[in-house]
Amino acid sequence: MTATSAHAYQLSRKQAEAAAKQVPTPSHRHAAPSAPWPWVDLEDEVDPGQLDTPLPPVPPPCDHQTCGGCWKGYPKSRFPNWTPRQVDKSKITDAIHRNVPCTIYSVDVDNEGIFTKSGEPLVVNSANVPQIWDIFVKSARPERNRVRALFIENMSGPVLQMLGARYNIEPFFFSSSLNWIPSRYQEDVKPETGDHITITMTFLRSMSTGKKNQQGYPTASRSSSTIGIPNDDNGSNLNQQMIDTQAPLALRSGSEERLLVLDLLAVHLIRNVNVNGNTIISYHPGRQNSRTATASYLHERIRFAGNVYWQSIFKNSPDPTFVLLCYVWHAMYAWDEALEHLYSHICLLETKVMHHYDIHLTQELHVIRAHQLHYSSLLDDFRKTVEFIRTTHNPAVSALKKEDQDSTNELMERECQNLLNEIERLEMGRRMQDKRLKNVMNLVFSSVNIGDSRRMQEMTEAAARDSAGLSQFLPNAQMKQIAYLTMIFLPASFVAAVFGMNIRELEINPTSNGSLAHYFAVAAPMTFVTIWAIIAFQSRYLFEDQNTSIWIRLCWPILLIKKIFTKSDNQETGRQRYKL
């Protein structure tokens, strides 16, 4: 392999790795079941056979005992309206055919609000799929169990199908999770029994690159905010081609280098009047995106959430939605830390602008501003998610006593309002940072304008010096050289002008009417008038007062004669006084 081909192979490999890590741009139109054409775009062809076929009946709930493994046909087996083309376009087909080891972590929350680890993580591979399905269907939960949380790491095809069939999950949850599409919807609502709710949202998280920052100041050329080919393993240094707000934003303002990355919170909650049926399923990309929080990490965090405050809430209310709020608080913590690190970065940029400014700083400020605008939309989506949780009441709560209903609704309203207050604080902080960015950008532009003004002043002064040099410096050397050159060529120019005259005396054109007398008759008066005008308007010797009228100036010969005689008389008087 030649050096050129090896370099091209390296570039293509880096491009493929960057594309694999790239967060896809969400297609919001495919986010919820309320859309009448799931995963069918305007230019997509509709299968004529599908139009002629009557809608398939919705299959009844399955007990998974006598169906012979209906999970193997998911999603078609549970949701017949999903055609193969739709399943393929939503990337569910790719996920189903992904046969990789998958790890499932679990946490149980009991009636006392205590979080416990429900056994060792399940590692699902092609060899133990039947055993895992039996565990899903036949295993009983501990007594007094209120809700079980499942954390899916590196989801494989069999796990996707088993979860979807076992809990009758709408395929939109998996399509939204696989494609990073923000969504929030309620489905399968049964009054006083339960429902399903899905929450998928993108949030901001700060992560360390593991590298120490040796520069002390950030540099725009190393910002990870444009589409291009990565220059390091983290993919944070990209060619300056186009700003991409889906890409990580590099922060090199602290002691270590950090990245502001987009993370995914994809949660499906099954709420049921039978508390043993309450289940929370969270999807984690795992190997598909190494920058997202892993299932083991979130599993540990949720287990650690059982402090006195939250334990009291879980103890007083059987609503599993409060456990879902812990997931939302994880995104809140991530947002707060990310904006805190971004604030430090902006402060150091301000300090750098005070001492130095260049085009790279301007580019970096524009990149950060573009990310800030994107963060504003993400925070707004975060707020809508919390509003959705607050307004989407659990139907199973209606089966409780009136005082328990009121208590649960009051607690839910309070906790959601706490989250909304925190989101408002984050948005206020983001707006403040945006104003700081505007201030820094104005400072850069003002500094650039001041620098340009100084350069223009220097250029003007240099031009003035060059102009003044004609009278200050050139007479001493260069003006004399120019005068000497003019004197050398003046006789030759005079001779050429004389012999170029069209007169009879030179016998160049004997038939000409012009003569030498005619030449002097015209040249002499014109020369005299020219000398008269030059002395009248340019002489400083005769007219010291520059406001002298034009008529007095035209009489300069009289003034000259008068000045000569006056000077002679003054000299004679001076000599006589000297003798005396």
Side-chain angles (χ1 to χ4, degrees), residues 63-275:
D63 60 0
H64 304 295
Q65 301 293 333
T66 60
C67 62
C70 63
W71 66 269
K72 297 178 182 178
Y74 182 87
K76 187 73 173 177
S77 61
R78 304 302 308 162
F79 300 90
N81 61 311
W82 279 71
T83 64
R85 182 179 297 177
Q86 293 167 307
V87 176
D88 183 65
K89 188 171 183 178
S90 63
K91 297 184 179 180
I92 294 179
T93 300
D94 295 337
I96 290 175
H97 294 155
R98 187 184 302 123
N99 192 9
V100 294
C102 173
T103 306
I104 303 176
Y105 302 85
S106 59
V107 169
D108 285 338
V109 182
D110 62 16
N111 292 341
E112 299 297 324
I114 298 175
F115 288 69
T116 58
K117 183 178 179 182
S118 57
E120 295 297 323
L122 295 176
V123 179
V124 185
N125 51 49
S126 57
N128 64 353
V129 168
Q131 291 81 3
I132 299 298
W133 173 247
D134 289 339
I135 293 176
F136 280 164
V137 174
K138 299 178 181 180
S139 62
R141 297 185 182 182
E143 292 184 4
R144 302 175 60 81
N145 178 273
R146 178 163 293 172
V147 59
R148 170 165 290 181
L150 302 178
F151 306 84
I152 314 301
E153 181 78 72
N154 198 31
M155 186 171 58
S156 62
V159 172
L160 183 152
Q161 291 181 303
M162 286 189 291
L163 290 174
R166 170 64 180 85
Y167 298 103
N168 200 34
I169 300 174
E170 179 79 36
F172 277 102
F173 167 65
F174 298 108
S175 63
S176 298
S177 302
L178 293 170
N179 294 277
W180 290 57
I181 303 176
S183 63
R184 46 198 169 268
Y185 59 88
Q186 181 185 29
E187 57 170 311
D188 196 18
V189 181
K190 298 175 181 177
E192 298 187 358
T193 301
D195 65 354
H196 291 220
I197 61 172
T198 291
I199 291 176
T200 307
M201 70 175 187
T202 305
F203 63 95
L204 189 65
R205 185 169 64 90
S206 175
M207 64 175 293
S208 173
T209 62
K211 296 181 180 180
K212 297 296 182 180
N213 185 13
Q214 304 296 335
Q215 298 179 351
Y217 287 109
T219 56
S221 60
R222 303 179 69 184
S223 178
S224 60
S225 310
T226 53
I227 294 177
I229 301 172
N231 296 327
D232 60 10
D233 294 337
N234 292 319
S236 60
N237 303 333
L238 304 176
N239 294 336
Q240 303 295 319
Q241 297 179 14
M242 184 181 72
I243 296 176
D244 180 20
T245 55
Q246 300 291 114
L249 177 64
L251 305 182
R252 305 177 187 274
S253 55
S255 59
E256 62 178 0
E257 299 176 0
R258 304 194 69 85
L259 293 176
L260 295 188
V261 300
L262 299 182
D263 205 339
L264 178 69
L265 180 64
V267 181
H268 184 82
L269 171 59
I270 300 100
R271 302 187 290 192
N272 198 291
V273 68
N274 179 11
V275 292

Side-chain angles (χ1 to χ4, degrees), residues 368-414:
I368 297 177
R369 186 81 191 284
H371 279 263
Q372 280 275 19
L373 296 175
H374 182 55
Y375 298 158
S376 176
S377 65
L378 295 182
L379 277 174
D380 187 60
D381 184 71
F382 193 8
R383 179 187 58 79
K384 292 178 181 178
T385 298
V386 177
E387 287 281 4
F388 170 78
I389 296 175
R390 182 173 69 172
T391 57
T392 307
H393 300 290
N394 184 1
V397 174
S398 302
L400 301 177
K401 297 179 181 179
K402 184 65 170 60
E403 56 270 19
D404 293 338
Q405 293 182 31
D406 295 340
S407 174
T408 297
N409 293 332
E410 182 180 351
L411 284 174
M412 183 61 64
E413 180 71 23
R414 185 188 71 187

Side-chain angles (χ1 to χ4, degrees), residues 264-560:
L264 178 69
L265 180 64
V267 181
H268 184 82
L269 171 59
I270 300 100
R271 302 187 290 192
N272 198 291
V273 68
N274 179 11
V275 292
N276 287 327
N278 292 328
T279 306
I280 300 179
I281 301 172
S282 64
Y283 163 79
H284 302 267
R287 297 178 185 175
Q288 302 169 26
N289 194 317
S290 59
R291 297 192 182 104
T292 58
T294 62
S296 59
Y297 173 84
L298 191 58
H299 168 258
E300 182 182 66
R301 292 284 166 168
I302 297 299
R303 283 186 60 196
F304 191 62
N307 57 22
V308 175
Y309 181 85
W310 281 96
Q311 186 176 352
S312 174
I313 294 176
F314 299 142
K315 183 177 181 179
N316 294 329
S317 174
D319 191 354
T321 313
F322 289 103
V323 181
L324 176 62
L325 292 182
C326 294
Y327 290 76
V328 179
W329 270 104
H330 164 67
M332 173 65 66
Y333 271 67
W335 266 109
D336 199 22
E337 290 183 6
L339 292 181
E340 180 181 328
H341 293 149
L342 181 58
Y343 176 75
S344 301
H345 186 70
I346 294 175
C347 289
L348 277 182
L349 278 178
E350 288 179 325
T351 304
K352 190 173 183 181
V353 168
M354 294 292 184
H355 299 86
H356 177 70
Y357 55 89
D358 55 21
I359 188 63
H360 299 294
L361 273 177
T362 306
Q363 292 173 351
E364 181 169 7
L365 291 171
H366 277 289
V367 166
I368 297 177
R369 186 81 191 284
H371 279 263
Q372 280 275 19
L373 296 175
H374 182 55
Y375 298 158
S376 176
S377 65
L378 295 182
L379 277 174
D380 187 60
D381 184 71
F382 193 8
R383 179 187 58 79
K384 292 178 181 178
T385 298
V386 177
E387 287 281 4
F388 170 78
I389 296 175
R390 182 173 69 172
T391 57
T392 307
H393 300 290
N394 184 1
V397 174
S398 302
L400 301 177
K401 297 179 181 179
K402 184 65 170 60
E403 56 270 19
D404 293 338
Q405 293 182 31
D406 295 340
S407 174
T408 297
N409 293 332
E410 182 180 351
L411 284 174
M412 183 61 64
E413 180 71 23
R414 185 188 71 187
E415 294 307 315
C416 288
Q417 188 59 48
N418 290 339
L419 278 169
L420 291 173
N421 292 339
E422 291 296 317
I423 294 173
E424 179 62 25
R425 177 184 60 82
L426 292 176
E427 178 59 24
M428 289 179 60
R430 190 209 61 80
R431 287 198 296 266
M432 182 272 295
Q433 292 182 13
D434 188 60
K435 292 180 180 179
R436 293 280 293 267
L437 276 175
K438 289 182 181 178
N439 184 50
V440 176
M441 293 173 71
N442 291 334
L443 179 60
V444 171
F445 292 143
S446 300
S447 302
V448 171
N449 290 334
I450 292 173
D452 292 341
S453 300
R454 288 176 179 173
R455 284 191 289 271
M456 289 297 297
Q457 182 181 2
E458 293 173 357
M459 293 173 62
T460 303
E461 292 175 352
R465 285 195 300 269
D466 293 342
S467 176
L470 296 176
S471 59
Q472 296 180 7
F473 303 103
L474 292 182
N476 297 331
Q478 291 149 352
M479 282 298 289
K480 288 183 179 180
Q481 294 176 3
I482 295 174
Y484 293 154
L485 289 173
T486 305
M487 292 174 63
I488 291 173
F489 290 99
L490 187 59
S493 300
F494 173 73
V495 172
V498 170
F499 281 95
M501 292 190 300
N502 191 17
I503 56 178
R504 292 192 301 270
E505 283 77 2
L506 295 178
E507 297 183 355
I508 295 175
N509 187 7
T511 62
S512 175
N513 294 326
S515 63
L516 194 59
H518 293 157
Y519 167 74
F520 284 111
V522 176
M526 291 184 64
T527 303
F528 178 75
V529 171
T530 301
I531 295 174
W532 188 297
I534 290 175
I535 295 177
F537 292 101
Q538 300 294 331
S539 177
R540 296 182 180 179
Y541 174 72
L542 295 176
F543 310 106
E544 296 179 357
D545 186 6
Q546 297 299 319
N547 296 323
T548 305
S549 66
I550 186 173
W551 303 110
I552 297 177
R553 287 178 176 275
L554 292 176
C555 298
W556 67 266
I558 300 174
L559 296 176
L560 179 62

Side-chain angles (χ1 to χ4, degrees), residues 556-571:
W556 67 266
I558 300 174
L559 296 176
L560 179 62
I561 295 172
K562 182 179 179 181
K563 194 166 187 176
I564 291 174
F565 281 105
T566 303
K567 185 176 181 181
S568 300
D569 293 342
N570 292 337
Q571 289 178 352

